[in-house]
Amino acid sequence: MSTYATQGGFEGPVAWETPGTGRALSRCAAGQLAKFLGWVALWWAALYVTVVWLPVAAVVPMVLVLALLVHYAVLSLIRLFRLWRVRRILGVYPWRQQSGAVRVTKGKAVFVLPDPDSPEKTVSLKVTAGLFRSWSHEALKDYDDELWYAGDPRFACVVAKPGLRGLSCLVQPTAYDHRTSPRRKGLSPEARRRARAIGARVAD
C-alpha cells in the first residue's frame, strides 16, 4: 500500500482507491452494528429480569442500569450513522503515515499531525475517551507506532492502526459545529476545496 508518506500537501490517490480501505470500513460498520444490537439485547434482557424476577425494591437501581444501556446503544447508533462522514473523507484525501503522533496527558489524548499547507507546523486533534474511560499510552500504542490517517487535521481526519485496523474519525469542533466560527486563515485553495467536499465549514 502506497501512502505517499514523505510528501506534503494532498498528493497521491485518495484513500478510498487504496486496496483494503473498503474492507476496513465494512469491518468497522459491522462492528458498530454488532455493538448496537448487543446493547439493545442487553436492554431487553435487563428489562425482563427487572419485571419478572426482581423485587420492587430493586427496580430503582435497575432503572439506572437500563438508562445506561440506552445511552450506550444510542452512542453505537450515532457512530454507525457517522460512518458516512468517514466514507466522504476517504473519498477526498490520500492516506498518510505518521509515527510518534500521540500525546497522552492525565488520561486525555490528542493526535499531533502536520498542517498540509505548512508541514513544518502541527495541528492537534482531541481523542474522545467516552464515559468512565481515560486513555493511556499503552491503549494508543499501535496508533503512536505507526498512525495511518486520511484528511486535514484542521477539519477532520480518519485515523487507523497499521493494517487499517481501528478506523476512527477525529473532528475539529469548528468543522461541523454551527455554534463555533469556521476556520478562515492559513488555508490554500486546494485545502478549502477538499474541506468543502467533506461537508466541513470554511469561512469565505
Side-chain angles (χ1 to χ4, degrees):
M1 182 188 302
S2 176
T3 61
Y4 290 77
T6 60
Q7 297 190 28
F10 304 104
E11 295 86 355
V14 297
W16 189 250
E17 296 175 357
T18 303
T21 300
R23 289 193 301 273
L25 185 59
S26 296
R27 288 196 303 269
C28 185
Q32 287 300 334
L33 180 59
K35 287 180 181 179
F36 170 70
L37 295 176
W39 289 121
V40 171
L42 280 175
W43 187 89
W44 280 108
L47 180 64
Y48 177 81
V49 169
T50 301
V51 173
V52 176
W53 296 103
L54 294 182
V56 175
V59 171
V60 173
M62 281 303 294
V63 168
L64 297 178
V65 173
L66 290 168
L68 189 60
L69 292 174
V70 168
H71 170 77
Y72 281 118
V74 170
L75 282 182
S76 294
L77 189 61
I78 290 172
R79 290 181 184 130
L80 181 62
F81 279 109
R82 282 183 177 171
L83 288 180
W84 69 269
R85 182 179 292 168
V86 172
R87 173 62 181 87
R88 289 185 73 175
I89 293 171
L90 294 175
V92 172
Y93 294 96
W95 281 117
R96 290 286 187 263
Q97 189 178 352
Q98 185 80 15
S99 60
V102 177
R103 305 286 187 274
V104 178
T105 306
K106 296 180 180 179
K108 297 181 179 180
V110 297
F111 288 154
V112 181
L113 300 172
D115 181 328
D117 287 326
S118 303
E120 71 280 2
K121 299 179 181 178
T122 59
V123 182
S124 297
L125 281 160
K126 292 183 179 180
V127 188
T128 303
L131 194 63
F132 307 130
R133 181 180 182 182
S134 61
W135 292 114
S136 66
H137 283 285
E138 188 61 30
L140 295 170
K141 185 177 184 299
D142 286 348
Y143 288 107
D144 195 43
D145 288 345
E146 188 183 341
L147 174 70
W148 295 71
Y149 72 96
D152 186 333
R154 296 168 296 182
F155 298 99
C157 281
V158 175
V159 297
K161 300 175 184 179
L164 300 183
R165 298 174 294 112
L167 238 62
S168 185
C169 187
L170 307 181
V171 176
Q172 295 286 7
T174 54
Y176 298 102
D177 190 344
H178 288 273
R179 294 171 297 180
T180 63
S181 298
R183 182 178 287 272
R184 181 184 304 273
K185 297 180 179 179
L187 299 173
S188 66
E190 181 63 13
R192 289 175 179 273
R193 184 189 71 79
R194 294 192 186 231
R196 290 191 173 107
I198 63 170
R201 300 164 63 239
V202 184
D204 294 326

